[in-house]
Amino acid sequence: MPSGPDVPLASKLALLLRRKTEADGKTPSTRALAAATAERPGERPAMTHQVVNDLLNGVKSNPSISQLRGLARAFDCPVAFLLPSYNGLTSLSVYEEQQDAREALRLVHDLGEAGAAELLEAAREIRLRHGRTDLTVPEVPEPMPSAAEPPRPGRRRRLSFTEAAERAVSDLEGT
C-alpha cells in the first residue's frame, strides 16, 4: 500500500470533508458527521460532534480504533487511509472494495520485485486496452459531482423596501 510522508489526520479529514457534499452542495455539519459514525442508523455514534470538530481542527489527533472506524463510515473511506503514512485513497479503496485486486496482490506476494513489475506492466496494458491512456492515477480521486436539486417552490424571499417599491412601479406600469 502506498506510504509516504505523514499527512496530519486533520488534513486528511479536511480533504474527505471537501469530497463529501450533501445534495444542496454544502458540506455536512459536525453533528451530521458524528451521527454517521454509528454502526447502524439510529444507534449511538462512535463519537460526539465535539470530538469530530476537534479532529477536524487538529485539536485531537489520536482517535481510538472505534472512532477511526466511525470516521471511516462517516466519510465513506477505508480505515487505513486515516492511519499515518497511508495516503493513497485510490489504491486503498480498490484494495478494500475489490476481491480480485486483493487476490492479485496475494498471488504476487512471493514473486518479489520482478513479479510486481510484471503485474504493473500488465495493469498498464489493460488500461490502454480500455482506452485509459493517462497512466497517472491520482492518489485521491476526484469526487463525483453532486446533482444539483431543482429549486423548491415556496415563499418568495422578503424584498427590501427599495426592491418592493421598484416591483410596485413595474406592476403599475405593466412592464
Side-chain angles (χ1 to χ4, degrees), residues 42-70:
E43 285 188 356
R44 186 170 183 253
M47 64 190 76
T48 66
H49 73 279
Q50 185 59 50
V51 172
V52 172
N53 192 49
D54 288 349
L55 289 167
L56 285 169
N57 291 322
V59 174
K60 270 187 87 173
S61 61
N62 193 15
S64 68
I65 189 66
S66 64
Q67 290 174 332
L68 281 174
R69 285 187 189 127

Short mmCIF file of all heavy atoms in Angstrom, two decimals, residues 42-70:
data_model
loop_
_atom_site.label_atom_id
_atom_site.label_comp_id
_atom_site.label_asym_id
_atom_site.label_seq_id
_atom_site.Cartn_x
_atom_site.Cartn_y
_atom_site.Cartn_z
N GLY A 42 -29.43 5.31 13.67
CA GLY A 42 -30.23 5.34 14.89
C GLY A 42 -29.51 4.83 16.12
O GLY A 42 -29.98 5.02 17.24
N GLU A 43 -28.37 4.17 15.93
CA GLU A 43 -27.60 3.69 17.07
C GLU A 43 -26.73 4.82 17.62
O GLU A 43 -26.61 5.88 17.02
CB GLU A 43 -26.72 2.50 16.67
CG GLU A 43 -27.48 1.21 16.49
CD GLU A 43 -26.56 0.02 16.30
OE1 GLU A 43 -25.33 0.20 16.24
OE2 GLU A 43 -27.09 -1.09 16.21
N ARG A 44 -26.09 4.52 18.74
CA ARG A 44 -25.23 5.50 19.39
C ARG A 44 -23.99 5.75 18.52
O ARG A 44 -23.32 4.81 18.08
CB ARG A 44 -24.81 4.96 20.75
CG ARG A 44 -24.03 5.94 21.57
CD ARG A 44 -23.87 5.40 22.99
NE ARG A 44 -23.18 6.37 23.79
CZ ARG A 44 -21.92 6.23 24.18
NH1 ARG A 44 -21.24 5.17 23.86
NH2 ARG A 44 -21.36 7.16 24.92
N PRO A 45 -23.67 7.03 18.25
CA PRO A 45 -22.49 7.34 17.43
C PRO A 45 -21.19 6.93 18.13
O PRO A 45 -21.13 6.82 19.35
CB PRO A 45 -22.55 8.86 17.27
CG PRO A 45 -23.92 9.27 17.68
CD PRO A 45 -24.42 8.22 18.61
N ALA A 46 -20.16 6.75 17.34
CA ALA A 46 -18.85 6.38 17.88
C ALA A 46 -18.18 7.55 18.58
O ALA A 46 -17.24 7.36 19.34
CB ALA A 46 -17.95 5.86 16.75
N MET A 47 -18.66 8.78 18.32
CA MET A 47 -18.09 9.96 18.95
C MET A 47 -19.09 11.10 18.92
O MET A 47 -20.04 11.08 18.14
CB MET A 47 -16.79 10.37 18.27
CG MET A 47 -16.95 10.80 16.83
SD MET A 47 -15.40 11.00 15.96
CE MET A 47 -14.94 9.32 15.68
N THR A 48 -18.84 12.08 19.74
CA THR A 48 -19.72 13.26 19.78
C THR A 48 -19.32 14.24 18.68
O THR A 48 -18.23 14.13 18.11
CB THR A 48 -19.61 13.97 21.14
OG1 THR A 48 -18.28 14.50 21.27
CG2 THR A 48 -19.93 13.04 22.29
N HIS A 49 -20.18 15.20 18.44
CA HIS A 49 -19.86 16.20 17.42
C HIS A 49 -18.66 17.05 17.85
O HIS A 49 -17.90 17.53 17.02
CB HIS A 49 -21.07 17.09 17.11
CG HIS A 49 -21.41 18.07 18.18
ND1 HIS A 49 -22.12 17.73 19.31
CD2 HIS A 49 -21.11 19.38 18.31
CE1 HIS A 49 -22.25 18.79 20.08
NE2 HIS A 49 -21.65 19.80 19.51
N GLN A 50 -18.46 17.20 19.15
CA GLN A 50 -17.32 17.97 19.63
C GLN A 50 -16.00 17.25 19.33
O GLN A 50 -15.02 17.89 18.93
CB GLN A 50 -17.43 18.24 21.14
CG GLN A 50 -16.34 19.15 21.67
CD GLN A 50 -16.31 20.51 20.98
OE1 GLN A 50 -17.34 21.16 20.88
NE2 GLN A 50 -15.16 20.93 20.50
N VAL A 51 -15.99 15.94 19.46
CA VAL A 51 -14.78 15.17 19.13
C VAL A 51 -14.52 15.26 17.63
O VAL A 51 -13.37 15.44 17.20
CB VAL A 51 -14.92 13.70 19.59
CG1 VAL A 51 -13.77 12.85 19.09
CG2 VAL A 51 -15.02 13.62 21.10
N VAL A 52 -15.58 15.16 16.81
CA VAL A 52 -15.42 15.31 15.36
C VAL A 52 -14.83 16.69 15.05
O VAL A 52 -13.89 16.81 14.26
CB VAL A 52 -16.76 15.11 14.62
CG1 VAL A 52 -16.63 15.47 13.15
CG2 VAL A 52 -17.27 13.69 14.79
N ASN A 53 -15.36 17.71 15.69
CA ASN A 53 -14.86 19.07 15.49
C ASN A 53 -13.39 19.18 15.90
O ASN A 53 -12.59 19.79 15.19
CB ASN A 53 -15.72 20.05 16.28
CG ASN A 53 -15.46 21.48 15.90
OD1 ASN A 53 -15.43 21.81 14.71
ND2 ASN A 53 -15.24 22.32 16.88
N ASP A 54 -13.03 18.60 17.03
CA ASP A 54 -11.64 18.64 17.49
C ASP A 54 -10.71 17.92 16.52
O ASP A 54 -9.59 18.37 16.27
CB ASP A 54 -11.51 18.02 18.88
CG ASP A 54 -12.10 18.89 19.98
OD1 ASP A 54 -12.42 20.07 19.71
OD2 ASP A 54 -12.25 18.38 21.11
N LEU A 55 -11.17 16.81 15.94
CA LEU A 55 -10.34 16.08 14.97
C LEU A 55 -10.20 16.88 13.68
O LEU A 55 -9.11 16.95 13.10
CB LEU A 55 -10.96 14.71 14.68
CG LEU A 55 -10.86 13.70 15.82
CD1 LEU A 55 -11.75 12.49 15.55
CD2 LEU A 55 -9.43 13.25 16.04
N LEU A 56 -11.29 17.50 13.23
CA LEU A 56 -11.24 18.31 12.02
C LEU A 56 -10.31 19.51 12.17
O LEU A 56 -9.62 19.90 11.23
CB LEU A 56 -12.63 18.80 11.63
CG LEU A 56 -13.56 17.76 11.01
CD1 LEU A 56 -14.98 18.30 10.94
CD2 LEU A 56 -13.08 17.35 9.64
N ASN A 57 -10.29 20.09 13.37
CA ASN A 57 -9.47 21.28 13.61
C ASN A 57 -8.06 20.96 14.09
O ASN A 57 -7.27 21.87 14.34
CB ASN A 57 -10.16 22.19 14.63
CG ASN A 57 -11.41 22.81 14.05
OD1 ASN A 57 -11.44 23.15 12.88
ND2 ASN A 57 -12.44 22.93 14.86
N GLY A 58 -7.74 19.68 14.25
CA GLY A 58 -6.40 19.30 14.66
C GLY A 58 -6.14 19.43 16.15
O GLY A 58 -5.01 19.26 16.60
N VAL A 59 -7.17 19.71 16.94
CA VAL A 59 -7.01 19.79 18.40
C VAL A 59 -6.71 18.40 18.94
O VAL A 59 -5.86 18.22 19.79
CB VAL A 59 -8.28 20.38 19.06
CG1 VAL A 59 -8.19 20.35 20.56
CG2 VAL A 59 -8.51 21.80 18.56
N LYS A 60 -7.43 17.39 18.42
CA LYS A 60 -7.17 15.98 18.73
C LYS A 60 -6.57 15.35 17.50
O LYS A 60 -6.96 15.66 16.37
CB LYS A 60 -8.47 15.25 19.07
CG LYS A 60 -8.87 15.26 20.51
CD LYS A 60 -10.07 14.37 20.74
CE LYS A 60 -9.60 12.95 20.97
NZ LYS A 60 -10.66 12.04 21.36
N SER A 61 -5.61 14.45 17.70
CA SER A 61 -5.02 13.80 16.53
C SER A 61 -4.80 12.31 16.73
O SER A 61 -4.19 11.67 15.89
CB SER A 61 -3.68 14.47 16.18
OG SER A 61 -2.79 14.34 17.27
N ASN A 62 -5.29 11.76 17.84
CA ASN A 62 -5.06 10.35 18.12
C ASN A 62 -6.36 9.68 18.55
O ASN A 62 -6.52 9.31 19.71
CB ASN A 62 -3.98 10.22 19.21
CG ASN A 62 -3.48 8.80 19.32
OD1 ASN A 62 -3.70 7.99 18.43
ND2 ASN A 62 -2.83 8.50 20.43
N PRO A 63 -7.30 9.48 17.60
CA PRO A 63 -8.56 8.85 17.98
C PRO A 63 -8.39 7.36 18.26
O PRO A 63 -7.43 6.74 17.80
CB PRO A 63 -9.44 9.08 16.75
CG PRO A 63 -8.48 9.20 15.63
CD PRO A 63 -7.25 9.83 16.20
N SER A 64 -9.33 6.80 19.00
CA SER A 64 -9.31 5.36 19.28
C SER A 64 -9.68 4.61 18.00
O SER A 64 -10.17 5.20 17.03
CB SER A 64 -10.31 5.03 20.39
OG SER A 64 -11.63 5.24 19.92
N ILE A 65 -9.48 3.30 18.00
CA ILE A 65 -9.79 2.50 16.81
C ILE A 65 -11.28 2.52 16.52
O ILE A 65 -11.69 2.57 15.36
CB ILE A 65 -9.25 1.05 16.93
CG1 ILE A 65 -9.39 0.29 15.60
CG2 ILE A 65 -9.94 0.30 18.03
CD1 ILE A 65 -8.54 0.84 14.51
N SER A 66 -12.13 2.53 17.55
CA SER A 66 -13.57 2.59 17.29
C SER A 66 -13.95 3.94 16.68
O SER A 66 -14.83 4.02 15.82
CB SER A 66 -14.37 2.34 18.57
OG SER A 66 -14.13 3.35 19.51
N GLN A 67 -13.26 5.00 17.10
CA GLN A 67 -13.50 6.31 16.50
C GLN A 67 -13.01 6.35 15.06
O GLN A 67 -13.65 6.94 14.19
CB GLN A 67 -12.84 7.41 17.33
CG GLN A 67 -13.52 7.62 18.67
CD GLN A 67 -12.78 8.61 19.54
OE1 GLN A 67 -11.56 8.77 19.43
NE2 GLN A 67 -13.51 9.27 20.43
N LEU A 68 -11.87 5.71 14.77
CA LEU A 68 -11.36 5.64 13.39
C LEU A 68 -12.35 4.89 12.50
O LEU A 68 -12.62 5.31 11.37
CB LEU A 68 -10.00 4.96 13.33
CG LEU A 68 -8.80 5.82 13.72
CD1 LEU A 68 -7.55 4.96 13.76
CD2 LEU A 68 -8.64 6.97 12.76
N ARG A 69 -12.89 3.79 13.01
CA ARG A 69 -13.89 3.05 12.23
C ARG A 69 -15.11 3.91 11.98
O ARG A 69 -15.67 3.90 10.88
CB ARG A 69 -14.29 1.78 12.97
CG ARG A 69 -13.26 0.70 12.91
CD ARG A 69 -13.80 -0.59 13.50
NE ARG A 69 -12.77 -1.57 13.64
CZ ARG A 69 -12.48 -2.21 14.76
NH1 ARG A 69 -13.17 -1.97 15.86
NH2 ARG A 69 -11.51 -3.07 14.81
N GLY A 70 -15.54 4.65 12.99
CA GLY A 70 -16.68 5.53 12.83
C GLY A 70 -16.41 6.63 11.81
O GLY A 70 -17.27 6.94 10.98
#
